[in-house]
Amino acid sequence: MSTAVPQNPTANHVASLLPKLSDADADLRYMALNDLYNILNFGHQGFLLNDYTTCCRAVDGLLKTLDDTNGEVQNQAIKCVGPLALQVHPEILPTFVEKLSLIKTENSVDNSIPATALRAFVVSFPPPISGLTSSKATQDAYATISKVLIPRLLGYVVIPLGLKGHPPPPTGMLEFDSENGVDSDAIDVLSEVVRCFGSMLQEPEKQALLRSISEILDNGRTGTVTKKKAVMAISILAVYLSDPLLSNFVSTTIESFRDPHLTPSKRRLLITMIGSLTRTVPQRLGPYLKTLAPFVLSALSAEEYDESMADLAEEGTSNPEVEEVREAALVALEGFLLSCSNEMRRFTDEVIDSVLRYVTYDPNFALDEDDEEMGGTQGDDDDDEASTNGIDDAEEDFEEEENMSDDDDASWKVRRCAAKALYTIISTRSSGDLLDNGVLYDKIAPVLISRFQEREENVRLEILTTLASLIRKTEEGPSIINPGSEGNGYVSAFPISHSRKRRRGSSDAIAYDSAVGMTSPIDSPSPISGPRADLARLGPVIVQAVAKLLKQSSIPTKHAAITLLRDIVVVQHGGLSEHLNKIADPLIDAFAGSSTQPSGHTTTLGGGAASAIGSSLRINALQLVSAICDTHSASVISPYIEKLVTGIVSAVKDRYYKISGEAIIVVESVIKVLTPPRISGTDQQRQAYLSNLYDVILERAVANDADLEVRQRAIHALGVLLARTAGSSSGKLLPASKKSKALNVLLDRLKNEITRLPAVRAIDIVAASAADKDELKATWVREVTIELGAQLRKADRTLRGASLAALKNMVTNSSALASLDDTTIKGLVGMLLPLLDETELNLLGLALLILTKLVQRSPKKVVNSDLDDVLCTIVLAPLAGGVLDAFLGLIKTIGEHGVGQSLMNGLLKNVGVAGDPALVGKAIGTLLISGGSTVGVKIEDFVTELQSAPDDQRKCLALSILGEAGLRLGSSSPLQPDLFITHFKSKSEQVPRAAAIALGRAGAGNINQYLPIILSTTNKSGSSQYLLLHSIKEILQHVGKAGTDISAYTAGIWDKLLTASQAEDNKAVGAECIGRLAIIEPKKYLPLLKNYLQDPAPAVRGMGIQAVRFTLAENDETFDDVLKPMLIQMLSVMLKDPHLENRRLALSALNSATHNKPDIILPHLAQLLPLVIQESKIKPELVREVQMGPFKHKVDDGLEVRKSAYETLYALMESAFTRINPLELFDRVIAGLEDEHDIKVLCNLMLTKYLLLDPAETVRRLDQIAECFRVILSFKPKDNAVKQEVEKAQEASKSVLRVTVLLHNAFPGAAGSPANGRGQVWKGYWEWLGKDFRTQLQAMEQEVKNEAV
């Protein structure tokens, strides 16, 4: 039989297949259905409409095959239902549905065929899209469902069609049958109807469906499976219920809770239903929780707990129905906390007490009273050893009890749900809330620790995961530890997970920078108060309890325990110094591969799964070892080095590449422990350890059969080993022959394309560390230098950047630089010149630094016409910051070595006034002073040029040159202040400003001569005063960098600045000067600034706020010590300022403080954040109407403040997300999507952040986001709208489409989840986009895809 589908199927093709549906051969029937399915799908829409007879025959034939004796034929027939429904005449649809619902399966044992076919019918039609007119097919489908399917489900007509004498429908599919009860498959059909056509259902239909489901739930004979499906159906229907219907339903539920004869099963059902509704419609159900939550909490109350324990003492067994009620209550409570966190705040104490009560609930395993307290985990070392088998002994004792069996005990489900609820409390109430006030560590953590001895592994894993989440919440992103006098400290690069989505079994991998471990870390001093102090207090107890788990536990428990330890180490930057002896041996056993399943434990995992878990455990253990090595002193780790090295060598040789690669990372950490400055001096034992490590990583680095990732890590580790054994203090740790061999391996790997990048980075480390003259051979240096230079022409940006960084360290190393001959230098210069391009600023700065070193080595070989031409081109670019400093450094070096004349000629003739006078002037002035008589011009030439120049551009250039010259000459400068001040009166707009800046730069070099004159002249008001403020700013800026002492003048400067800053034009520059002066003498002027923030005059307060903001970019430790005690109070005062503009400035200051002073801001964020949240809300009193001709226009005076508030919230998302209540913040994001254009754009950016930081909450908000996005995209500017309005609308639409694509890519299956009714609005929105914005959507999808690539 042919299965080819005709190109243009017709009704005749369908008719020819129908007789085969009755063939005696099941294979032929199946093939006929398969051909029918293909024809119906590939045929054009409506090709059967005109052949009514064939449609009817096709329906009858398909109905017959649904009761086929062959299961495969039935399945294929169900697949054909949907395509056939889309093709037949609309008048046939009611009959089709009715016959489907009346099928009696006589030849099949599967009674779900009719319901499955009906569901296939319902889902085949395109669902309605909110805001758009439904298609004809959708309308026909709904008419059929309303006319036939809903009456068939209910057993009566809901909406009469006005036809008298019409026979009533047969018994409803949802009606109770005395023999079979309620058909649960019919509930599935109802759920599908509501899910697909819920928005089209009329109010009576919704009411009837709700009544029918409620009756099913109220019927005592309804089965458990049916009740679960009914609860799910109500959750889906709740999305579309009107407010009165939902309110009435909730009221009925409340009355049911109050029924004095409420049975445990009915109570469990009600609690489950409320919990499900909370997850589906949290915003609508949230207001009712103040009434509903107490009913759920009562099931977990102390009174009921005491009653059940009393009954247990009498009867000897627990009531399983009561256990199920508690389990349902805890699941519902978790939903309340997750979906309606704000509404549940009033029940915080009750919730915590209830959950803690049941996380320890184990009626069949009574513990001693002492063990119930935290002290049960506290014991001395002798107790530790004696209780090695504590968990196993407990389980054995339990099984010896009479009338008790693990198979009968279901209390572990209650404990597991309680642990999950604790996890949710920690996730939703930690940031700036229960974590900061100590509740989580004082009440919850001790109970979790005491439950480490939990006998059920599922519960034990949940408890360990919950405590780990609390510990991770304590850490606020990457932190820098100052280890005191020992030098650079440990930098934690542990990526903290901000998502509230559950992490099972492991955390994210730890990635440490190569600089980590350069000195021996010491434990940071514990904070006096706060979450870190709470963790430090409980740390020893946790470690001691975990140590027991590591000695005798299953692999999953060990995995979770090691993850917990790793989180402690990362958050505390150590913390195991006093307890390493308890965990060292089991930890080494875990990663060395000797960990086995302890006796008494069994696992149901197959060999492959068990092997995967074992590998994951070893990787996790290796990551913990690496963290310990990087955060603990060498003296703490030394006693375990021998076992550690042996285990690591074994792990590096492991065949599994992930284990081997992770072990190599640990090798790097151990190398740092074994080498100075972590340990000084040399000894034979350490040489042997390093030799073993050298052998194993060298073997991996050159092994072609090893995985690429392993080879790359081995190459990097080889570089670390060479770097750490370099210099006179470490040179004897590794023989010279091995060093030479390793260097040759690095050179060889550098020439190999697939290992080139790690080799470049390894060479970079070696070059930066090589101190002795003979460590790097001249031939090796030259060959490596040329090879690195060759990589600069490659397209790979990462490789180019790494190669340039390695070259920079190579030429910075004096012995390596001396090894370069003229040929090598010339070749390298030729390779560097193409990088001198303003479009690649990240490479430009490094290239300039390298050239500076090469000029110092061989100036005549480096400086030539090509270099001069390139430098003359670069000076035309807008250079700034470090790149400008590197450029001027190269210019200075060229001048100092007497090879700058041709460059000076080029700057004067080819550049001149073509570039920015300020930048070109700095270059020429630098070259003029550094080159002296060798550049062919003198300072007097530019004085003459200034006085005789015919145009403003030349005067500005001359002023800039003279200002730079005065700065660099210092007190020996012949230039007088009047030379610059006289040009303040120029009629040009550019010359006075250039003169002011030049005066300031010249004055910075000669404070005693210039500053008194500037201060005396500042008394004059007007433009001269404004210009002199710019001069003072230049002086203060340079003094701050150079550290020049101006204490004799600060009082005068301060008084002049306060007076001058009162003028409106002078406020900004005056505030900046005041801020810079406060940085220079913080002890004297910061308290004065603090007082100005409370001045009665708004202008003075505004000046003080701006001045404080300018100080926040300063990173000086002395300044921070003075600022720290007063910054939070200053910000609080600023944010509460009654003046609107001052509050906007205060928000800007807080934004700057968040970026620059996170260590000061974050601990006190809970005090500041409410003020920011308040400013993000629209204030009606600030919205006014303005009459513009015949029209009235609304003006929102609070818009700029709101925009600043949202900018601050966006900044806090990046630096302190875990300190923010994510639900409250998301509420502001949703509100911002309905605000003005600029705020909408910011909120779209915040959504992209939320996508990564809290994907679980983002999924829950998709429907709200979709509604806001639909409004934005539906907005059309008026025909007479100005260009700016049109552009704003286009930008808003593009921003929304971009975020929509990102959300869809992140959650492709979020819409229409079978588990609940959530996501229907998002699904409809996505389908609407596909129709009305198809072209724009496809273009945005491609753009996002290209960016990802």
Side-chain angles (χ1 to χ4, degrees):
M1 177 179 178
S2 173
T3 59
V5 179
Q7 289 186 353
N8 295 304
T10 64
N12 291 333
H13 291 105
V14 174
S16 65
L17 293 173
L18 298 181
K20 300 173 184 176
L21 299 180
S22 303
D23 195 282
D25 190 341
D27 290 339
L28 289 177
R29 296 197 301 275
Y30 177 85
M31 294 303 297
L33 284 170
N34 187 61
D35 288 349
L36 177 63
Y37 175 79
N38 291 329
I39 288 174
L40 292 173
N41 275 316
F42 293 109
H44 66 84
Q45 187 66 33
F47 75 96
L48 287 179
L49 288 179
N50 296 325
D51 196 332
Y52 194 91
T53 303
T54 301
C55 288
C56 293
R57 289 178 59 208
V59 168
D60 291 339
L62 189 61
L63 290 170
K64 183 178 179 181
T65 55
L66 286 172
D67 190 26
D68 199 278
T69 56
N70 187 287
E72 292 184 0
V73 173
Q74 282 183 313
N75 292 336
Q76 192 63 28
I78 291 173
K79 288 176 63 178
C80 293
V81 169
L84 181 59
L86 292 171
Q87 295 289 2
V88 299
H89 198 281
E91 294 180 2
I92 299 177
L93 291 179
T95 305
F96 191 7
V97 171
E98 186 172 10
K99 289 183 177 181
L100 283 174
S101 67
L102 293 171
I103 291 177
K104 299 296 182 182
T105 52
E106 300 174 355
N107 300 318
S108 173
V109 295
D110 188 356
N111 295 324
S112 66
I113 292 295
T116 306
L118 285 171
R119 290 168 60 194
F121 175 90
V122 172
V123 301
S124 64
F125 292 92
I129 299 176
S130 177
L132 295 179
T133 303
S134 300
S135 64
K136 186 177 184 306
T138 302
Q139 293 176 7
D140 292 338
Y142 168 68
T144 299
I145 290 170
S146 179
K147 177 181 177 182
V148 179
L149 186 52
I150 292 179
R152 277 293 295 119
L153 288 170
L154 301 175
Y156 60 91
V157 177
V158 180
I159 301 178
L161 300 177
L163 298 176
K164 295 182 179 180
H166 195 278
T171 303
M173 299 170 66
L174 292 172
E175 291 188 272
F176 191 81
D177 188 309
S178 58
E179 294 182 3
N180 302 319
V182 177
D183 184 7
S184 64
D185 297 321
I187 299 179
D188 292 336
V189 177
L190 183 149
S191 298
E192 211 64 67
V193 168
V194 175
R195 184 181 287 113
C196 296
F197 293 92
S199 60
M200 297 183 75
L201 292 176
Q202 301 177 56
E203 195 73 2
E205 292 173 328
K206 297 176 187 176
Q207 189 172 0
L209 293 175
L210 181 61
R211 186 188 309 115
S212 177
I213 302 173
S214 299
E215 290 173 356
I216 293 172
L217 291 172
D218 291 337
N219 195 313
R221 297 176 59 187
T222 303
T224 303
V225 174
T226 304
K227 285 183 178 180
K228 287 182 178 179
K229 291 186 176 182
V231 168
M232 193 59 63
I234 282 186
S235 299
I236 298 171
L237 183 60
V239 176
Y240 304 101
L241 291 180
S242 62
D243 290 338
L245 269 182
L246 182 62
S247 177
N248 183 61
F249 176 73
V250 172
S251 299
T252 304
T253 304
I254 293 172
E255 292 303 318
S256 298
F257 271 120
R258 290 172 176 166
D259 185 356
H261 304 293
L262 185 65
T263 63
S265 60
K266 178 66 174 178
R267 188 183 192 186
R268 176 173 63 87
L269 180 64
L270 293 174
I271 291 174
T272 302
M273 184 168 58
I274 294 301
S276 181
L277 288 176
T278 306
R279 287 176 165 86
T280 306
V281 285
Q283 286 77 27
R284 299 179 66 191
L285 198 69
Y288 298 101
L289 283 185
K290 61 183 178 181
T291 306
L292 291 170
F295 293 120
V296 177
L297 288 169
S298 66
L300 306 171
S301 64
E303 294 79 7
E304 294 201 13
Y305 177 84
D306 293 338
E307 289 178 10
S308 67
M309 296 305 289
D311 294 340
L312 176 65
E314 291 180 8
E315 301 176 7
T317 57
S318 58
N319 186 345
E321 287 191 341
V322 174
E323 304 280 17
E324 291 175 354
V325 170
R326 290 167 177 165
E327 182 183 355
L330 288 166
V331 171
L333 203 58
E334 182 186 2
F336 294 168
L337 295 168
L338 202 57
S339 303
C340 304
S341 179
N342 291 333
E343 289 82 356
M344 289 297 294
R345 285 179 179 269
R346 66 174 69 193
F347 304 107
T348 297
D349 293 337
E350 299 168 69
V351 168
I352 293 176
D353 291 342
S354 299
V355 175
L356 291 179
R357 184 177 300 118
Y358 284 96
V359 81
T360 61
Y361 172 68
D362 196 351
N364 295 331
F365 187 52
L367 299 172
D368 295 335
E369 288 296 324
D370 291 341
D371 291 339
E372 289 295 333
E373 302 298 328
M374 186 180 67
T377 63
Q378 292 174 323
D380 53 28
D381 295 339
D382 295 337
D383 294 338
D384 233 9
E385 295 298 327
S387 61
T388 297
N389 297 320
I391 297 173
D392 292 337
D393 293 342
E395 293 181 3
E396 291 171 5
D397 292 342
F398 170 77
E399 292 184 7
E400 290 174 2
E401 299 288 340
E402 295 181 0
N403 300 324
M404 296 183 186
S405 168
D406 279 336
D407 296 334
D408 299 330
D409 179 25
S411 64
W412 66 271
K413 296 180 181 179
V414 176
R415 297 195 299 277
R416 185 181 63 178
C417 291
K420 289 182 177 180
L422 286 175
Y423 183 97
T424 304
I425 291 173
I426 292 169
S427 299
T428 58
R429 296 294 306 278
S430 58
S431 307
D433 192 359
L434 300 181
L435 181 65
D436 291 347
N437 63 21
V439 171
L440 295 183
Y441 273 107
D442 292 341
K443 295 186 68 173
I444 294 179
V447 177
L448 290 173
I449 298 168
S450 71
R451 294 308 301 169
F452 281 9
Q453 58 189 324
E454 168 65 49
R455 56 196 174 86
E456 282 289 338
E457 185 167 61
N458 285 336
V459 183
R460 193 188 312 136
L461 293 175
E462 204 69 54
I463 288 169
L464 289 169
T465 301
T466 302
L467 185 58
S469 72
L470 172 57
I471 292 170
R472 287 196 295 271
K473 283 287 184 180
T474 308
E475 171 71 354
E476 299 299 334
S479 302
I480 298 177
I481 297 302
N482 180 12
S485 61
E486 292 198 32
N488 296 330
Y490 159 68
V491 181
S492 169
F494 179 66
I496 300 302
S497 172
H498 299 292
S499 171
R500 300 213 308 272
K501 187 175 180 180
R502 190 67 54 90
R503 296 287 190 265
R504 295 288 178 218
S506 65
S507 309
D508 296 327
I510 305 176
Y512 291 102
D513 188 82
S514 60
V516 172
M518 289 299 291
T519 59
S520 191
I522 59 174
D523 289 337
S524 355
S526 299
I528 299 174
S529 61
R532 297 284 288 272
D534 295 334
L535 176 58
R537 173 172 50 84
L538 286 178
V541 184
I542 298 173
V543 174
Q544 188 167 329
V546 170
K548 298 179 182 179
L549 296 180
L550 290 177
K551 292 176 181 177
Q552 287 291 331
S553 289
S554 64
I555 289 180
T557 297
K558 285 185 177 181
H559 191 289
I562 289 173
T563 298
L564 180 62
L565 285 177
R566 195 179 68 187
D567 291 334
I568 291 175
V569 171
V570 170
V571 173
Q572 290 191 301
H573 311 290
L576 300 184
S577 299
E578 299 177 3
H579 310 282
L580 208 54
N581 60 317
K582 298 175 184 176
I583 65 170
D585 289 340
L587 185 59
I588 293 173
D589 290 342
F591 74 75
S594 58
S595 178
T596 58
Q597 192 80 359
S599 59
H601 289 269
T602 59
T603 178
T604 57
L605 294 173
S611 175
I613 293 177
S615 297
S616 180
L617 171 65
R618 296 179 66 188
I619 292 171
N620 209 18
L622 287 166
Q623 291 173 350
L624 173 56
V625 172
S626 180
I628 291 172
C629 290
D630 288 335
T631 56
H632 293 75
S633 66
S635 59
V636 173
I637 302 170
S638 294
Y640 315 100
I641 282 293
E642 183 176 356
K643 292 182 179 179
L644 198 57
V645 171
T646 303
I648 292 171
V649 169
S650 173
V652 171
K653 295 179 180 179
D654 197 276
R655 290 180 297 175
Y656 186 35
Y657 76 97
K658 287 189 176 180
I659 294 176
S660 180
E662 201 66 48
I664 293 174
I665 294 177
V666 182
V667 168
E668 292 189 20
S669 300
V670 174
I671 289 171
K672 295 168 187 175
V673 172
L674 292 171
T675 52
R678 296 280 290 268
I679 291 182
S680 59
T682 61
D683 60 56
Q684 187 175 359
Q685 193 63 52
R686 283 193 292 131
Q687 292 175 16
Y689 295 148
L690 290 171
S691 181
N692 290 340
L693 296 176
Y694 168 87
D695 291 338
V696 72
I697 60 177
L698 185 67
E699 176 189 347
R700 282 298 190 176
V702 299
N704 292 327
D705 59 340
D707 186 83
L708 176 60
E709 182 180 345
V710 173
R711 278 185 284 165
Q712 290 176 340
R713 290 186 175 180
I715 291 167
H716 188 271
L718 197 60
V720 172
L721 178 57
L722 290 173
R724 297 291 295 215
T725 55
S728 56
S729 61
S730 309
K732 297 179 181 179
L733 289 174
L734 196 65
S737 59
K738 291 191 173 184
K739 290 184 181 181
S740 177
K741 184 177 180 180
L743 289 173
N744 291 331
V745 167
L746 292 182
L747 177 57
D748 180 66
R749 297 294 90 185
L750 179 61
K751 297 177 180 178
N752 188 313
E753 185 175 357
I754 61 175
T755 58
R756 184 170 288 144
L757 183 58
V760 169
R761 289 172 173 163
I763 291 170
D764 187 8
I765 302 171
V766 173
S769 305
D772 292 349
K773 182 178 180 181
D774 299 328
E775 282 194 84
L776 301 178
K777 302 299 182 183
T779 54
W780 185 87
V781 170
R782 294 168 190 165
E783 194 169 352
V784 166
T785 301
I786 292 298
E787 195 66 36
L788 289 173
Q791 310 314 314
L792 303 179
R793 297 194 295 264
K794 300 294 176 65
D796 188 338
R797 290 175 58 87
T798 304
L799 178 60
R800 282 190 293 158
S803 300
L804 206 56
L807 281 172
K808 180 239 176 189
N809 279 331
M810 190 71 76
V811 298
T812 304
N813 187 309
S814 57
S815 61
L817 181 62
S819 300
L820 299 179
D821 56 13
D822 291 345
T823 304
T824 305
I825 292 174
K826 185 176 180 181
L828 183 57
V829 171
M831 297 170 185
L832 288 169
L833 288 181
L835 296 181
L836 302 184
D837 186 353
E838 61 180 281
T839 60
E840 302 248 17
L841 291 179
N842 58 324
L843 302 180
L844 176 57
L846 283 174
L848 291 170
L849 290 174
I850 296 170
L851 285 170
T852 301
K853 290 294 182 179
L854 294 178
V855 170
Q856 294 173 357
R857 172 71 175 82
S858 183
K860 294 183 179 180
K861 293 291 182 182
V862 176
V863 180
N864 52 36
S865 59
D866 293 336
L867 179 60
D868 293 340
D869 292 342
V870 172
L871 293 178
C872 289
T873 304
I874 292 176
V875 78
L876 298 174
L879 303 180
V883 177
L884 176 58
D885 292 340
F887 176 74
L888 294 178
L890 176 57
I891 296 290
K892 180 182 177 183
T893 303
I894 291 174
E896 288 174 344
H897 287 78
V899 289
Q901 184 169 0
S902 60
L903 177 59
M904 178 64 81
N905 293 335
L907 290 172
L908 293 174
K909 295 179 181 179
N910 301 330
V911 179
V913 296
D916 179 8
L919 182 56
V920 177
K922 287 182 179 180
I924 296 176
T926 300
L927 185 58
L928 174 67
I929 302 305
S930 62
S933 59
T934 63
V935 295
V937 289
K938 303 177 187 177
I939 194 170
E940 290 79 7
D941 297 333
F942 295 102
V943 173
T944 304
E945 175 74 10
L946 174 62
Q947 296 170 347
S948 60
D951 58 88
D952 295 339
Q953 283 290 99
R954 294 184 182 279
K955 286 184 177 180
C956 290
L957 177 59
L959 285 167
S960 180
I961 294 170
L962 293 173
E964 190 68 23
L967 171 65
R968 295 186 178 275
L969 285 173
S971 58
S972 62
S973 171
L975 304 175
Q976 298 298 317
D978 289 342
L979 176 67
F980 304 101
I981 294 175
T982 53
H983 289 83
F984 283 9
K985 300 178 181 179
S986 173
K987 297 181 180 180
S988 167
E989 295 181 359
Q990 301 173 346
V991 173
R993 180 70 176 270
I997 294 174
L999 174 64
R1001 292 190 70 80
N1006 195 353
I1007 296 290
N1008 295 329
Q1009 182 179 358
Y1010 276 70
L1011 196 52
I1013 296 175
I1014 293 174
L1015 292 177
S1016 63
T1017 314
T1018 309
N1019 294 326
K1020 300 179 181 178
S1021 60
S1023 59
S1024 295
Q1025 189 180 62
Y1026 173 77
L1027 294 170
L1028 289 169
L1029 287 177
H1030 277 282
S1031 300
I1032 294 174
K1033 185 185 79 170
E1034 287 292 327
I1035 292 174
L1036 294 176
Q1037 186 173 355
H1038 184 78
V1039 164
K1041 291 180 180 179
T1044 307
D1045 182 17
I1046 60 167
S1047 55
Y1049 302 98
T1050 53
I1053 297 174
W1054 181 266
D1055 294 337
K1056 299 293 184 184
L1057 289 175
L1058 290 179
T1059 304
S1061 297
Q1062 301 304 310
E1064 186 66 29
D1065 292 341
N1066 298 345
K1067 280 184 178 180
V1069 64
E1072 183 176 355
C1073 292
I1074 290 172
R1076 294 190 182 281
L1077 194 57
I1079 293 171
I1080 295 172
E1081 292 191 14
K1083 292 182 180 180
K1084 182 177 181 180
Y1085 293 114
L1086 273 179
L1088 295 178
L1089 266 184
K1090 181 181 177 182
N1091 294 334
Y1092 289 138
L1093 297 177
Q1094 297 178 330
D1095 193 273
V1100 175
R1101 297 198 304 272
M1103 178 271 296
I1105 294 172
Q1106 290 188 75
V1108 170
R1109 184 182 63 183
F1110 281 116
T1111 67
L1112 296 173
E1114 180 62 29
N1115 293 321
D1116 182 69
E1117 290 184 9
T1118 304
F1119 174 77
D1120 284 351
D1121 290 341
V1122 180
L1123 178 68
K1124 188 173 183 178
M1126 61 180 74
L1127 179 58
I1128 301 302
Q1129 185 180 356
M1130 292 166 71
L1131 288 170
S1132 298
V1133 171
M1134 290 153 56
L1135 290 168
K1136 294 175 183 176
D1137 195 287
H1139 194 265
L1140 199 62
E1141 176 62 16
N1142 286 350
R1143 292 205 302 276
R1144 185 190 69 78
L1145 294 172
L1147 287 166
S1148 177
L1150 176 58
N1151 198 344
S1152 176
T1154 302
H1155 282 291
N1156 298 295
K1157 311 291 179 187
D1159 54 326
I1160 302 178
I1161 296 297
L1162 297 188
H1164 305 279
L1165 193 58
Q1167 182 179 345
L1168 302 173
L1169 189 59
L1171 301 174
V1172 182
I1173 293 289
Q1174 187 62 31
E1175 293 300 337
S1176 70
K1177 299 177 181 179
I1178 297 176
K1179 298 179 180 178
E1181 65 272 17
L1182 296 179
V1183 180
R1184 54 191 173 87
E1185 282 191 350
V1186 177
Q1187 191 77 30
M1188 299 181 68
F1191 305 104
K1192 289 184 178 180
H1193 179 65
K1194 285 188 176 181
V1195 176
D1196 188 350
D1197 293 329
L1199 176 59
E1200 291 302 318
V1201 178
R1202 281 204 313 282
K1203 189 162 72 170
S1204 295
Y1206 273 100
E1207 289 171 351
T1208 304
L1209 290 174
Y1210 178 72
L1212 288 172
M1213 285 186 73
E1214 295 184 326
S1215 59
F1217 185 77
T1218 55
R1219 287 277 183 179
I1220 305 172
N1221 183 336
L1223 303 181
E1224 184 179 26
L1225 179 59
F1226 218 130
D1227 289 340
R1228 299 315 311 148
V1229 174
I1230 297 296
L1233 291 174
E1234 300 173 354
D1235 211 315
E1236 296 296 327
H1237 171 75
D1238 292 339
I1239 296 177
K1240 287 177 183 176
V1241 173
L1242 275 172
C1243 288
N1244 280 327
L1245 292 174
M1246 294 172 78
L1247 281 177
T1248 61
K1249 290 289 182 186
Y1250 249 111
L1251 187 63
L1252 302 174
L1253 298 174
D1254 197 347
E1257 183 63 24
T1258 307
V1259 170
R1260 282 190 288 274
R1261 302 281 189 143
L1262 282 179
D1263 285 350
Q1264 289 179 280
I1265 295 170
E1267 292 173 354
C1268 297
F1269 279 4
R1270 186 189 291 273
V1271 172
I1272 296 173
L1273 291 173
S1274 300
F1275 173 75
K1276 304 295 180 186
K1278 297 179 181 179
D1279 294 337
N1280 60 348
V1282 297
K1283 182 180 179 182
Q1284 186 180 11
E1285 291 181 357
V1286 175
E1287 289 176 348
K1288 279 186 176 182
Q1290 291 174 348
E1291 182 185 358
S1293 297
K1294 186 174 181 180
S1295 178
V1296 163
L1297 287 173
R1298 178 182 180 79
V1299 178
T1300 299
V1301 170
L1302 292 173
L1303 290 170
H1304 179 73
N1305 292 344
F1307 314 113
S1313 171
N1316 52 57
R1318 221 169 40 203
Q1320 293 302 302
V1321 178
W1322 175 262
K1323 179 181 178 183
Y1325 164 70
W1326 179 257
E1327 292 172 349
W1328 172 66
L1329 282 182
K1331 291 184 177 180
D1332 284 25
F1333 293 84
R1334 186 180 186 84
T1335 304
Q1336 300 97 310
L1337 186 62
Q1338 289 177 344
M1340 183 55 67
E1341 286 178 324
Q1342 187 61 44
E1343 183 178 329
V1344 170
K1345 184 178 179 181
N1346 293 340
E1347 290 177 359
V1349 173

